[in-house]
Amino acid sequence: MLVIGLTGGIGSGKSTVSALLAAKGAVVVDADAIVRDVQQPGTPVFDAMVERFGPGIVAGDGALDRAAVAEVVFNDAQALADLNAIVHPAVGAEIVRRMEQLADTDEVVVLDVPLLVESKNAYPVAGLLVVDVDPELAIRRLVEHRGMSEGDVRARMARQASRDERLARADHVIDNSGTLDDLRAQVDVAWDWIENLKAPSRDR
Ligand code: ATP
């Protein structure tokens, strides 16, 4: 397997890029989806969260009320640290489990981890792909297409690595400042870059 890290700021276009890479044949390991999986009702993570934050984080249907959780940790650094201490180990273990299953295959595995730069070298990758966009454009897209509030997006951005920090770590950059067609062309170039990373092992 060849592991490629995929990251980018909030609203940069990571999901769109990972779908395009999946269409090219990559296996996408989506950290956000794993977070949702490990927080299903009845899991140890769900139970630990309810024990720490109280029944107010459970919605009427018994599932996690994500907005309520976000509210609790929004301005409370200790609560956020506690939440991460509950959730991150389970997510990390699940990512490792999936990687082990793929280890002996020829797959290109795209690790879509929003905080990959922040979490330093937690997962060894052959290359880091960064989706880059002007944060103001990302804010406009999230407000227009997702109905998020501008203040909420800015607050989340403030907790993430900066655009420059991400670019400094990037091995290849996808510029998502254009149209979706432009983005497709950028993903074609990125796929060529990935194929080239594979080449040395093919020659051996
Ligand atoms: P998040 O950080 O919230 O997970 P993300 O980085 O995965 O977001 P996407 O969901 O792929 O980003 O994109 C954010 C929004 O911007 C989506 O509504 C998406 O459809 C839109 N979008 C992405 N790229 C473009 C583009 N090139 N042109 C117009 N809209 C775009």
Side-chain angles (χ1 to χ4, degrees):
M1 94 180 149
L2 179 79
V3 184
I4 300 296
L6 173 67
T7 194
I10 177 172
S12 56
K14 295 176 297 295
S15 310
T16 312
V17 167
S18 65
L20 291 168
L21 291 172
K24 288 191 172 288
V27 176
V28 177
V29 174
D30 177 346
D32 281 344
I34 293 175
V35 169
R36 288 191 294 272
D37 278 356
V38 302
Q39 292 178 336
Q40 292 296 324
T43 60
V45 168
F46 178 90
D47 293 344
M49 287 176 68
V50 176
E51 190 173 328
R52 167 64 179 83
F53 300 112
I57 62 163
V58 182
D61 62 359
L64 203 62
D65 181 342
R66 284 172 203 289
V69 176
E71 188 102 336
V72 172
V73 301
F74 193 66
N75 267 321
D76 184 338
Q78 186 57 53
L80 182 61
D82 291 349
L83 174 66
N84 288 341
I86 294 169
V87 176
H88 285 181
V91 173
E94 179 59 18
I95 290 177
V96 168
R97 197 185 66 80
R98 293 198 194 181
M99 303 304 258
E100 282 171 358
Q101 280 177 346
L102 293 160
D104 295 332
T105 69
D106 286 334
E107 303 284 5
V108 170
V109 179
V110 172
L111 206 48
D112 179 352
V113 180
L115 299 182
L116 200 61
V117 166
E118 291 82 343
S119 56
K120 303 285 177 225
N121 296 315
Y123 309 106
V125 297
L128 181 65
L129 193 53
V130 168
V131 188
D132 179 58
V133 73
D134 178 345
E136 296 302 319
L137 181 54
I139 292 169
R140 276 208 297 283
R141 285 177 179 161
L142 289 172
V143 170
E144 277 168 27
H145 302 305
R146 290 242 205 97
M148 291 178 74
S149 88
E150 185 179 332
D152 186 27
V153 179
R154 285 190 193 279
R156 285 166 196 253
M157 276 182 174
R159 289 207 292 258
Q160 297 186 337
S162 71
R163 185 183 191 185
D164 287 346
E165 282 166 329
R166 261 190 302 270
L167 288 175
R169 297 280 306 276
D171 295 308
H172 186 90
V173 178
I174 290 184
D175 169 13
N176 189 18
S177 56
T179 64
L180 287 171
D181 274 343
D182 294 333
L183 182 60
R184 262 178 225 113
Q186 294 267 326
V187 171
D188 288 345
V189 175
W191 190 252
D192 287 344
W193 167 74
I194 292 171
E195 294 277 299
N196 274 328
L197 289 178
K198 277 167 95 177
S201 59
R202 260 207 311 262
D203 294 343
R204 242 177 255 145

